[in-house]
Amino acid sequence: MNTIILQTQVRCEFVSITEKVQQSLTVSGIKTGIGVVFCPHTTAGLTVNESWDPDVVTDTLHWLGKNIPKDEPRFRHNEGNSDSHIKTGLFGNSVQLIVENGKLVLGQWQGVFFCEFDGPRERKVFLQWISG
Amino acid sequence: MNTIILQTQVRCEFVSITEKVQQSLTVSGIKTGIGVVFCPHTTAGLTVNESWDPDVVTDTLHWLGKNIPKDEPRFRHNEGNSDSHIKTGLFGNSVQLIVENGKLVLGQWQGVFFCEFDGPRERKVFLQWISG
Amino acid sequence: MNTIILQTQVRCEFVSITEKVQQSLTVSGIKTGIGVVFCPHTTAGLTVNESWDPDVVTDTLHWLGKNIPKDEPRFRHNEGNSDSHIKTGLFGNSVQLIVENGKLVLGQWQGVFFCEFDGPRERKVFLQWISG
């Protein structure tokens, strides 16, 4: 198992970890198979989406902020971050990747993103590569 | 493949299955690898999220109930549980886990939850462990 | 790695690919294990949900269209398909499947769907099977 450590900068942001995930794969030596990227936090997730135009992430965070408000009066969890947990549930805390010829198989516009929903914090991501 | 059987108690609830998933892993004898936990139902899903404060689940179910109402007049599916199918789609029907030293790799606050969106019912979960 | 190619017909639709996924599995010769089905596009996802009553998909697309509008004035991504990217993030771009006796393990009502959120287009899906 490999670990990526990252430092997020604001409460909600998507941080591209595509290069770090590819580095982990390269070190593993696996040429064909699959990988699981797993976020061990409950207020941050992982996703695969467009890495070309940063406005896609901006719009995604706008939608999430508008539809899952931090200050919903009915929320009872007293840390004030129920919205972060819900966003994590909706996006999920892991992504699955396919490996061919020692490379991540990604579409032309895709990248792997760490989804920070309650930063800024130091965060970890775990990776496991399986030969197929 | 292993199977977990559980009985849910109300229409919408999250039931922790972390211990049962670990038991399945222990029986498998796998020490390093990954696991797929798969829900074969279409009105129930699986997620990994906070297992410490039950208010997190309460707040998540509140948000889902408010934003995906059971009685949306435009819904046409005549079983009256389109909301349950949509919630399942958003949360997903499987989770992926990493295994090290025969143990699930989970963050300090994480647990594995069965997400009942149309109970109470008897439900099944399937598990497959892959050595890596 | 296998590839499924499909042609979607409208902007938003779910297309069942269950039979094509099973065909890919059969060709792989894998009898026991897991599979990753991966969508390399950023405006289309994958899901496992009810394949019996098409009204379930209709209702799901209705909810998505109502809650993630294409014409949200605050969206900045100038291709006009931020809603498609957000829907992809919420549903996810991959599904994980369990294999037993050379067959997909699916519940009685489940099917595997390609979720088109910005069609019509020619689309691809990648599949990797891992023996367990």
Side-chain angles (χ1 to χ4, degrees), chain C residues 22-48:
Chain C
Q22 176 62 54
Q23 285 165 11
S24 164
L25 170 59
T26 301
V27 169
S28 79
I30 299 249
K31 297 302 178 193
T32 303
I34 62 172
V36 171
V37 189
F38 186 91
C39 173
H41 308 287
T42 58
T43 54
L46 291 163
T47 199
V48 174

mmCIF file of all heavy atoms in Angstrom, chain C residues 22-48:
data_model
loop_
_atom_site.group_PDB
_atom_site.id
_atom_site.type_symbol
_atom_site.label_atom_id
_atom_site.label_comp_id
_atom_site.label_asym_id
_atom_site.label_seq_id
_atom_site.Cartn_x
_atom_site.Cartn_y
_atom_site.Cartn_z
ATOM 1 N N GLN C 22 -21.380 -8.626 -19.729
ATOM 2 C CA GLN C 22 -21.297 -10.087 -19.549
ATOM 3 C C GLN C 22 -20.513 -10.730 -20.702
ATOM 4 O O GLN C 22 -19.725 -11.659 -20.473
ATOM 5 C CB GLN C 22 -22.708 -10.687 -19.457
ATOM 6 C CG GLN C 22 -22.732 -12.215 -19.362
ATOM 7 C CD GLN C 22 -22.036 -12.747 -18.120
ATOM 8 O OE1 GLN C 22 -22.349 -12.360 -17.010
ATOM 9 N NE2 GLN C 22 -21.063 -13.644 -18.295
ATOM 10 N N GLN C 23 -20.728 -10.238 -21.918
ATOM 11 C CA GLN C 23 -19.964 -10.778 -23.062
ATOM 12 C C GLN C 23 -18.465 -10.566 -22.873
ATOM 13 O O GLN C 23 -17.657 -11.460 -23.138
ATOM 14 C CB GLN C 23 -20.420 -10.106 -24.361
ATOM 15 C CG GLN C 23 -21.772 -10.609 -24.866
ATOM 16 C CD GLN C 23 -22.382 -9.684 -25.932
ATOM 17 O OE1 GLN C 23 -21.726 -8.784 -26.441
ATOM 18 N NE2 GLN C 23 -23.644 -9.918 -26.253
ATOM 19 N N SER C 24 -18.086 -9.386 -22.413
ATOM 20 C CA SER C 24 -16.666 -9.103 -22.177
ATOM 21 C C SER C 24 -16.105 -10.051 -21.123
ATOM 22 O O SER C 24 -14.984 -10.570 -21.263
ATOM 23 C CB SER C 24 -16.507 -7.647 -21.711
ATOM 24 O OG SER C 24 -15.248 -7.429 -21.137
ATOM 25 N N LEU C 25 -16.886 -10.292 -20.074
ATOM 26 C CA LEU C 25 -16.457 -11.223 -19.022
ATOM 27 C C LEU C 25 -16.284 -12.622 -19.580
ATOM 28 O O LEU C 25 -15.280 -13.304 -19.298
ATOM 29 C CB LEU C 25 -17.494 -11.220 -17.891
ATOM 30 C CG LEU C 25 -17.338 -12.303 -16.825
ATOM 31 C CD1 LEU C 25 -15.982 -12.208 -16.135
ATOM 32 C CD2 LEU C 25 -18.463 -12.202 -15.804
ATOM 33 N N THR C 26 -17.244 -13.068 -20.379
ATOM 34 C CA THR C 26 -17.183 -14.431 -20.946
ATOM 35 C C THR C 26 -15.925 -14.593 -21.792
ATOM 36 O O THR C 26 -15.207 -15.593 -21.683
ATOM 37 C CB THR C 26 -18.444 -14.697 -21.785
ATOM 38 O OG1 THR C 26 -19.592 -14.557 -20.938
ATOM 39 C CG2 THR C 26 -18.426 -16.106 -22.372
ATOM 40 N N VAL C 27 -15.636 -13.586 -22.619
ATOM 41 C CA VAL C 27 -14.439 -13.644 -23.465
ATOM 42 C C VAL C 27 -13.167 -13.684 -22.619
ATOM 43 O O VAL C 27 -12.187 -14.356 -22.976
ATOM 44 C CB VAL C 27 -14.417 -12.432 -24.433
ATOM 45 C CG1 VAL C 27 -13.077 -12.303 -25.134
ATOM 46 C CG2 VAL C 27 -15.552 -12.547 -25.450
ATOM 47 N N SER C 28 -13.178 -13.006 -21.488
ATOM 48 C CA SER C 28 -11.975 -12.966 -20.639
ATOM 49 C C SER C 28 -11.646 -14.344 -20.068
ATOM 50 O O SER C 28 -10.498 -14.603 -19.703
ATOM 51 C CB SER C 28 -12.168 -11.977 -19.480
ATOM 52 O OG SER C 28 -12.964 -12.555 -18.444
ATOM 53 N N GLY C 29 -12.661 -15.189 -19.936
ATOM 54 C CA GLY C 29 -12.438 -16.525 -19.381
ATOM 55 C C GLY C 29 -12.341 -16.566 -17.863
ATOM 56 O O GLY C 29 -12.160 -17.628 -17.274
ATOM 57 N N ILE C 30 -12.485 -15.416 -17.217
ATOM 58 C CA ILE C 30 -12.390 -15.352 -15.742
ATOM 59 C C ILE C 30 -13.633 -15.984 -15.122
ATOM 60 O O ILE C 30 -14.751 -15.717 -15.560
ATOM 61 C CB ILE C 30 -12.259 -13.883 -15.280
ATOM 62 C CG1 ILE C 30 -10.992 -13.274 -15.881
ATOM 63 C CG2 ILE C 30 -12.337 -13.786 -13.760
ATOM 64 C CD1 ILE C 30 -9.898 -12.958 -14.951
ATOM 65 N N LYS C 31 -13.395 -16.857 -14.123
ATOM 66 C CA LYS C 31 -14.518 -17.568 -13.494
ATOM 67 C C LYS C 31 -14.882 -16.975 -12.139
ATOM 68 O O LYS C 31 -16.051 -16.987 -11.736
ATOM 69 C CB LYS C 31 -14.152 -19.050 -13.313
ATOM 70 C CG LYS C 31 -13.899 -19.782 -14.632
ATOM 71 C CD LYS C 31 -15.106 -19.704 -15.564
ATOM 72 C CE LYS C 31 -14.814 -20.391 -16.904
ATOM 73 N NZ LYS C 31 -15.832 -20.071 -17.911
ATOM 74 N N THR C 32 -13.886 -16.518 -11.377
ATOM 75 C CA THR C 32 -14.115 -15.971 -10.039
ATOM 76 C C THR C 32 -13.242 -14.742 -9.887
ATOM 77 O O THR C 32 -12.042 -14.804 -10.189
ATOM 78 C CB THR C 32 -13.731 -16.996 -8.953
ATOM 79 O OG1 THR C 32 -14.468 -18.187 -9.169
ATOM 80 C CG2 THR C 32 -14.025 -16.452 -7.563
ATOM 81 N N GLY C 33 -13.833 -13.646 -9.408
ATOM 82 C CA GLY C 33 -13.012 -12.448 -9.230
ATOM 83 C C GLY C 33 -13.854 -11.202 -9.199
ATOM 84 O O GLY C 33 -14.992 -11.214 -8.712
ATOM 85 N N ILE C 34 -13.284 -10.137 -9.724
ATOM 86 C CA ILE C 34 -13.975 -8.852 -9.767
ATOM 87 C C ILE C 34 -13.720 -8.187 -11.117
ATOM 88 O O ILE C 34 -12.815 -8.571 -11.864
ATOM 89 C CB ILE C 34 -13.524 -7.895 -8.636
ATOM 90 C CG1 ILE C 34 -12.037 -7.558 -8.759
ATOM 91 C CG2 ILE C 34 -13.843 -8.482 -7.260
ATOM 92 C CD1 ILE C 34 -11.572 -6.479 -7.785
ATOM 93 N N GLY C 35 -14.523 -7.163 -11.397
ATOM 94 C CA GLY C 35 -14.334 -6.382 -12.609
ATOM 95 C C GLY C 35 -14.500 -4.903 -12.330
ATOM 96 O O GLY C 35 -15.300 -4.519 -11.475
ATOM 97 N N VAL C 36 -13.713 -4.114 -13.060
ATOM 98 C CA VAL C 36 -13.883 -2.664 -13.030
ATOM 99 C C VAL C 36 -14.369 -2.232 -14.408
ATOM 100 O O VAL C 36 -13.751 -2.560 -15.430
ATOM 101 C CB VAL C 36 -12.566 -1.939 -12.692
ATOM 102 C CG1 VAL C 36 -12.705 -0.430 -12.879
ATOM 103 C CG2 VAL C 36 -12.138 -2.261 -11.267
ATOM 104 N N VAL C 37 -15.498 -1.522 -14.428
ATOM 105 C CA VAL C 37 -16.016 -0.930 -15.665
ATOM 106 C C VAL C 37 -15.790 0.571 -15.526
ATOM 107 O O VAL C 37 -16.217 1.179 -14.538
ATOM 108 C CB VAL C 37 -17.513 -1.243 -15.855
ATOM 109 C CG1 VAL C 37 -17.978 -0.811 -17.237
ATOM 110 C CG2 VAL C 37 -17.791 -2.720 -15.626
ATOM 111 N N PHE C 38 -15.092 1.160 -16.485
ATOM 112 C CA PHE C 38 -14.588 2.535 -16.348
ATOM 113 C C PHE C 38 -14.986 3.365 -17.563
ATOM 114 O O PHE C 38 -14.739 2.974 -18.710
ATOM 115 C CB PHE C 38 -13.056 2.478 -16.229
ATOM 116 C CG PHE C 38 -12.395 3.800 -15.950
ATOM 117 C CD1 PHE C 38 -12.167 4.204 -14.646
ATOM 118 C CD2 PHE C 38 -11.987 4.637 -16.982
ATOM 119 C CE1 PHE C 38 -11.543 5.416 -14.368
ATOM 120 C CE2 PHE C 38 -11.376 5.854 -16.721
ATOM 121 C CZ PHE C 38 -11.147 6.244 -15.411
ATOM 122 N N CYS C 39 -15.583 4.534 -17.303
ATOM 123 C CA CYS C 39 -15.978 5.448 -18.366
ATOM 124 C C CYS C 39 -14.909 6.537 -18.515
ATOM 125 O O CYS C 39 -14.644 7.284 -17.573
ATOM 126 C CB CYS C 39 -17.320 6.086 -17.999
ATOM 127 S SG CYS C 39 -17.816 7.382 -19.139
ATOM 128 N N PRO C 40 -14.278 6.630 -19.696
ATOM 129 C CA PRO C 40 -13.183 7.594 -19.864
ATOM 130 C C PRO C 40 -13.644 9.004 -20.233
ATOM 131 O O PRO C 40 -12.813 9.824 -20.614
ATOM 132 C CB PRO C 40 -12.356 6.969 -20.990
ATOM 133 C CG PRO C 40 -13.373 6.275 -21.844
ATOM 134 C CD PRO C 40 -14.436 5.767 -20.886
ATOM 135 N N HIS C 41 -14.924 9.268 -20.142
ATOM 136 C CA HIS C 41 -15.474 10.580 -20.480
ATOM 137 C C HIS C 41 -15.785 11.373 -19.208
ATOM 138 O O HIS C 41 -15.967 10.789 -18.146
ATOM 139 C CB HIS C 41 -16.739 10.413 -21.321
ATOM 140 C CG HIS C 41 -16.535 9.515 -22.502
ATOM 141 N ND1 HIS C 41 -15.828 9.898 -23.610
ATOM 142 C CD2 HIS C 41 -16.917 8.224 -22.718
ATOM 143 C CE1 HIS C 41 -15.797 8.893 -24.472
ATOM 144 N NE2 HIS C 41 -16.447 7.867 -23.962
ATOM 145 N N THR C 42 -15.875 12.697 -19.332
ATOM 146 C CA THR C 42 -16.108 13.537 -18.150
ATOM 147 C C THR C 42 -17.532 14.080 -18.093
ATOM 148 O O THR C 42 -17.880 14.811 -17.168
ATOM 149 C CB THR C 42 -15.106 14.715 -18.119
ATOM 150 O OG1 THR C 42 -15.259 15.467 -19.330
ATOM 151 C CG2 THR C 42 -13.682 14.208 -18.004
ATOM 152 N N THR C 43 -18.353 13.715 -19.065
ATOM 153 C CA THR C 43 -19.763 14.119 -19.041
ATOM 154 C C THR C 43 -20.681 12.903 -19.182
ATOM 155 O O THR C 43 -21.788 12.998 -19.704
ATOM 156 C CB THR C 43 -20.071 15.138 -20.159
ATOM 157 O OG1 THR C 43 -19.649 14.590 -21.414
ATOM 158 C CG2 THR C 43 -19.359 16.448 -19.917
ATOM 159 N N ALA C 44 -20.213 11.764 -18.702
ATOM 160 C CA ALA C 44 -20.997 10.522 -18.714
ATOM 161 C C ALA C 44 -20.452 9.624 -17.617
ATOM 162 O O ALA C 44 -19.244 9.642 -17.340
ATOM 163 C CB ALA C 44 -20.891 9.820 -20.067
ATOM 164 N N GLY C 45 -21.341 8.862 -16.992
ATOM 165 C CA GLY C 45 -20.929 7.992 -15.896
ATOM 166 C C GLY C 45 -21.441 6.579 -16.072
ATOM 167 O O GLY C 45 -21.852 6.173 -17.171
ATOM 168 N N LEU C 46 -21.390 5.827 -14.995
ATOM 169 C CA LEU C 46 -21.860 4.449 -14.985
ATOM 170 C C LEU C 46 -22.601 4.216 -13.675
ATOM 171 O O LEU C 46 -22.237 4.781 -12.637
ATOM 172 C CB LEU C 46 -20.683 3.473 -15.084
ATOM 173 C CG LEU C 46 -19.957 3.444 -16.426
ATOM 174 C CD1 LEU C 46 -18.596 2.792 -16.287
ATOM 175 C CD2 LEU C 46 -20.788 2.685 -17.472
ATOM 176 N N THR C 47 -23.597 3.342 -13.696
ATOM 177 C CA THR C 47 -24.307 3.018 -12.462
ATOM 178 C C THR C 47 -24.910 1.633 -12.573
ATOM 179 O O THR C 47 -25.064 1.087 -13.674
ATOM 180 C CB THR C 47 -25.402 4.075 -12.160
ATOM 181 O OG1 THR C 47 -25.766 4.006 -10.772
ATOM 182 C CG2 THR C 47 -26.653 3.870 -12.995
ATOM 183 N N VAL C 48 -25.251 1.068 -11.421
ATOM 184 C CA VAL C 48 -25.991 -0.188 -11.332
ATOM 185 C C VAL C 48 -27.321 0.149 -10.678
ATOM 186 O O VAL C 48 -27.339 0.687 -9.572
ATOM 187 C CB VAL C 48 -25.225 -1.234 -10.485
ATOM 188 C CG1 VAL C 48 -26.078 -2.478 -10.278
ATOM 189 C CG2 VAL C 48 -23.902 -1.596 -11.139
#
